[in-house]
Amino acid sequence: RTEREKSARITTRLSKLFSSQTEVTQKRTARFFNYEGRQNRDIAATELRSDLSVTPKNKLKIALEGRYSQEEDKVYEMPTKVQSYALIPRVTYALRSKGRLRGEIEWSYVDVNPKDRVIPYEMANGRSAGQSIRWDIRFDYRISQVIQATISYSGRNEPEREQVIHTGRAQVTAAFR
């Protein structure tokens, strides 16, 4: 297995309210197996991520992230080509330095060519061909200096599944000295 990654990131503070981060990444992932039953991979990928956020109040932050990637698995004589797009609006609200409420929705679309080709998991951030929607709502609260509580709910709607998958979690953590 061989992995190489090159990336560049620019972070800017446009004003007191607005900030931005843009990242370009080039990756090469090669996996070759010496036995049948496992699919070899030789993936070259270029990804662009851009995140724009606004902080209208100290407690509130609103952000929009966009992603675009082009990937190619060169193992086949006719390579598997994947293009993926994603938009992720996100809101974070802080509660008097004791807690934080965060919510985000991710819409993504993956296009594969040839259309009947199975996409290796390493491509398209693990997404399937077609349109997917994922969401996550999380609440963290510090009850005391040693006790923290977290409640979260997430869901995903993927093209290969008929039903939405819902996941809820609750956790209380205590640190003892």
Side-chain angles (χ1 to χ4, degrees), residues 81-85 109-113 115 119 124 128-130:
K81 295 182 179 182
V82 171
Q83 285 189 347
S84 63
Y85 313 87
Y109 182 77
V110 176
D111 186 33
V112 63
N113 192 7
K115 297 286 184 200
I119 303 173
S128 303

Side-chain angles (χ1 to χ4, degrees), residues 93 95 99-102 137-141 149-152:
Y93 185 77
L95 301 170
R100 182 176 66 161
L101 177 63
R102 178 184 165 140
I137 299 168
R138 183 171 311 272
F139 180 62
D140 298 307
Y141 191 76
T150 302
I151 297 171
S152 69

Side-chain angles (χ1 to χ4, degrees), residues 97-109:
S97 74
K98 285 196 146 237
R100 182 176 66 161
L101 177 63
R102 178 184 165 140
E104 76 176 32
I105 297 172
E106 176 186 311
W107 170 87
S108 62
Y109 182 77

Side-chain angles (χ1 to χ4, degrees), residues 140-157:
D140 298 307
Y141 191 76
R142 189 166 20 108
I143 298 167
S144 71
Q145 285 188 339
V146 295
I147 300 174
Q148 172 132 0
T150 302
I151 297 171
S152 69
Y153 161 68
S154 61
R156 63 182 197 259
N157 187 2

